[in-house]
């Protein structure tokens, strides 16, 4: 009863003095207060950082000013990205990569998708739902949901999630002034497809790999979303052993039951598809773009009453191997689960 009363006053923003003994203070209050001070104090340096056997994130943090060995890779990255205004490599790269090149490089994607269709390795997705729920209410009510009913997603729901996540929603003319000549090889079409989520330079270096687990009308397996034709490439249909293998290394915590997931959406970044233009900024852009796609997915799931949850705890190397991607040019950078509530 007493605790409840105190919770209420806290919720109202009122705090009362509470009498306690020194032992109670030491036992109950000091450890948590100390951990907050420790976490929030600026840089708690440690001279033991380099002699610690396991390089934890905490040892890197404590050694950040004095250690040469225990650096976070992220710190190295940020220290070396956009070093100063006299480092002109990025502007040169960006400037010299004209808009013709993206147009040309993106046309290969069309050929790639057409080829998959010709080989009968594509599944056309049905028309997505025309979602008209008010955006403000959707943004406010979005939550990460980790408990699922285990019911199957419909193909239409999958189509809707993928379309609003990363589907083609318009076209961009790279030649509005008509300054590029018509050529025999490229014709006069300098228009490229643009998507629901933004992408630096319109280069779209992120590919959505799907582990389909519970979708009505689709066999369990690895698929790849093809935005230009709004369809799926069948990468591999699983047998029982494949499913067992996938689930054996995909343990995403106690709360998440993978058997009930509809689709696990992996964001695979192809580093050379935007780093040629953006140098090391390419990585930064890819991370941002993955976030933009995933937020689109969360919002559309909220609007469609589906569950979605981002997951940072996936097994990167094992999943890449399982997908058959090379882990050099292509890397999984994020994962979102989608399921029926
Ligand atoms: C990059 C990223 C990684 C995440 N990883 C996990 C995860 O591994 N497991 C999990 O249950 N939730 C994960 N989440 C979800 C967060 O826990 C969640 O967004 C946060 O607690 C805020 O709750 P909300 O999304 O309901 O607003 C992740 C979120 C992001 C953005």
């Amino acid at each position: 009863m007493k605790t409840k009363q105190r919770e209420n006053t806290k919720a109202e923003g009122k705090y009362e003095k509470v009498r306690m003994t020194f032992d109670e203070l030491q036992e109950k209050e000091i450890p948590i207060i100390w951990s907050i001070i420790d976490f929030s104090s600026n840089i708690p340096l440690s001279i033991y950082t380099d002699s610690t056997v396991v390089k934890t994130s905490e040892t890197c943090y404590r050694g950040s000013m004095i250690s040469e060995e225990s650096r976070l890779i992220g710190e190295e990255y940020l220290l070396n990205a956009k070093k100063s205004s006299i480092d002109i490599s990025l502007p040169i790269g960006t400037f010299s990569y004209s808009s013709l090149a993206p147009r040309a490089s993106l046309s290969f994607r069309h050929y790639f998708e057409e080829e998959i269709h010709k080989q009968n390795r594509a599944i056309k997705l049905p028309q997505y739902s025309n979602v008209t729920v008010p955006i403000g209410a959707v943004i406010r009510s979005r939550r990460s949901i980790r408990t699922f009913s285990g019911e199957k997603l419909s193909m239409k729901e999958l189509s809707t999630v993928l379309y609003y996540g990363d589907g083609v929603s318009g076209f961009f003319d790279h030649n509005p002034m008509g300054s590029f000549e018509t050529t025999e090889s490229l014709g006069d079409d300098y228009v490229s497809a643009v998507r629901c989520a933004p992408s630096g330079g319109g280069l779209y270096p992120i590919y959505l790999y799907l582990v389909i687990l519970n979708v009505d009308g689709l066999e369990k397996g690895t698929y790849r979303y093809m935005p230009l034709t709004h369809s799926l490439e069948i990468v591999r249909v699983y047998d029982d052993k494949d499913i067992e293998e996938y689930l054996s290394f995909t343990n995403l915590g106690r709360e998440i039951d993978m058997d009930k997931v509809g689709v696990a959406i992996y964001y695979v970044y192809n580093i050379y598809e935007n780093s040629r233009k953006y140098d090391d900024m390419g990585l930064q852009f890819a991370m941002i773009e993955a976030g933009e796609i995933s937020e689109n997915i969360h919002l559309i799931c909220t609007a469609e009453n589906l569950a979605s949850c981002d997951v940072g705890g996936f097994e990167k190397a094992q999943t890449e191997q399982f997908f058959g991607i090379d882990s050099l040019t292509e890397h999984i950078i994020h994962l979102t689960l989608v399921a029926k509530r």
Side-chain angles (χ1 to χ4, degrees):
M1 188 59 195
K2 201 177 169 199
T3 334
K4 222 180 183 122
Q5 251 177 359
R6 284 191 47 212
E7 267 173 16
N8 288 344
T9 49
K10 260 191 198 169
E12 289 160 17
K14 295 179 205 149
Y15 293 91
E16 288 169 7
K17 284 188 178 174
V18 174
R19 188 174 288 277
M20 65 176 69
T21 65
F22 182 69
D23 285 346
E24 276 173 342
L25 178 79
Q26 260 201 320
E27 191 190 333
K28 277 170 57 188
E29 306 296 321
I30 296 292
I32 184 76
I33 293 172
W34 173 246
S35 71
I36 292 168
I37 292 171
D38 185 45
F39 191 80
S40 320
S41 60
N42 226 353
I43 304 256
L45 290 181
S46 162
I47 54 166
Y48 303 110
T49 294
D50 287 341
S51 52
T52 309
V53 179
V54 181
K55 181 191 144 184
T56 64
S57 40
E58 187 68 23
T59 50
C60 290
Y61 178 67
R62 286 174 187 273
S64 56
M65 291 290 178
I66 44 176
S67 167
E68 302 225 327
E69 290 155 30
S70 296
R71 278 209 177 279
L72 295 167
I73 295 174
E75 203 177 340
E76 298 290 340
Y77 176 82
L78 291 167
L79 279 170
N80 288 290
K82 292 191 165 210
K83 288 185 283 286
S84 80
S85 55
I86 54 169
D87 174 16
I88 55 167
S89 56
L90 176 62
I92 289 176
T94 311
F95 188 70
S96 58
Y97 207 94
S98 79
S99 27
L100 176 61
R103 154 75 184 89
S105 73
L106 291 170
S107 66
F108 281 114
R109 308 253 184 120
H110 268 289
Y111 298 135
F112 167 79
E113 291 196 12
E114 278 167 23
E115 198 52 37
I116 302 291
H117 280 270
K118 273 190 214 152
Q119 293 170 8
N120 285 329
R121 292 198 296 116
I123 296 173
K124 189 90 187 95
L125 288 164
Q127 176 65 23
Y128 55 86
S129 300
N130 182 21
V131 178
T132 56
V133 186
I135 184 107
V138 172
I139 293 175
R140 282 196 304 272
S141 52
R142 181 210 59 79
R143 282 280 78 82
S144 300
I145 313 266
R146 301 173 182 83
T147 44
F148 318 125
S149 67
E151 238 180 279
K152 283 178 187 272
L153 291 171
S154 70
M155 281 288 263
K156 194 170 180 79
E157 284 168 331
L158 180 68
S159 163
T160 303
V161 166
L162 293 173
Y163 175 75
Y164 287 96
D166 199 30
V168 171
S169 53
F171 296 91
F172 179 78
D173 188 357
H174 293 278
N175 190 25
M177 316 293 276
S179 39
F180 294 136
E181 302 263 322
T182 301
T183 59
E184 285 305 319
S185 41
L186 287 177
D188 61 358
D189 175 10
Y190 292 101
V191 171
S192 61
V194 283
R195 306 191 192 173
C196 289
S199 172
L203 290 171
Y204 305 104
I206 291 174
Y207 292 80
L208 300 183
Y209 275 67
L210 317 173
V211 171
I212 299 282
L213 294 170
N214 288 299
V215 177
D216 206 16
L218 280 182
E219 288 186 89
K220 292 187 184 190
T222 310
Y223 297 75
R224 189 156 87 142
Y225 179 50
M226 298 194 288
L228 300 171
T229 48
H230 192 51
S231 43
L232 301 178
E233 175 191 352
I234 308 164
V235 178
R236 171 175 159 200
V237 172
Y238 301 156
D239 59 24
D240 288 349
K241 265 182 77 184
D242 296 328
I243 299 167
E244 203 179 305
E245 183 189 343
Y246 173 73
L247 295 178
S248 73
F249 62 79
T250 311
N251 179 7
L252 305 178
R254 258 184 310 134
E255 274 182 285
I256 294 172
D257 183 352
M258 285 307 290
D259 282 329
K260 293 184 175 172
V261 167
V263 54
I265 304 175
Y266 290 86
Y267 303 71
V268 174
Y269 168 43
N270 186 323
I271 185 170
Y272 292 111
E273 290 194 354
N274 73 344
S275 298
R276 249 176 97 175
K277 178 172 181 179
Y278 293 120
D279 204 316
D280 288 330
M281 286 267 291
L283 173 61
Q284 218 166 306
F285 284 6
M287 300 294 181
I288 292 166
E289 290 169 29
E292 288 178 313
I293 299 169
S294 95
E295 181 68 352
N296 281 1
I297 291 175
H298 293 308
L299 294 180
I300 217 65
C301 285
T302 308
E304 292 286 273
N305 199 28
L306 298 171
S308 64
C309 187
D310 280 341
V311 175
F314 56 86
E315 285 291 336
K316 180 178 180 293
Q318 267 172 297
T319 316
E320 286 168 358
Q321 200 176 10
F322 185 74
F323 287 167
I325 60 180
D326 68 11
S327 302
L328 291 168
T329 58
E330 298 166 302
H331 296 266
I332 299 172
I333 56 171
H334 191 36
L335 164 63
T336 303
L337 305 176
V338 175
K340 283 287 231 189
R341 293 171 82 146

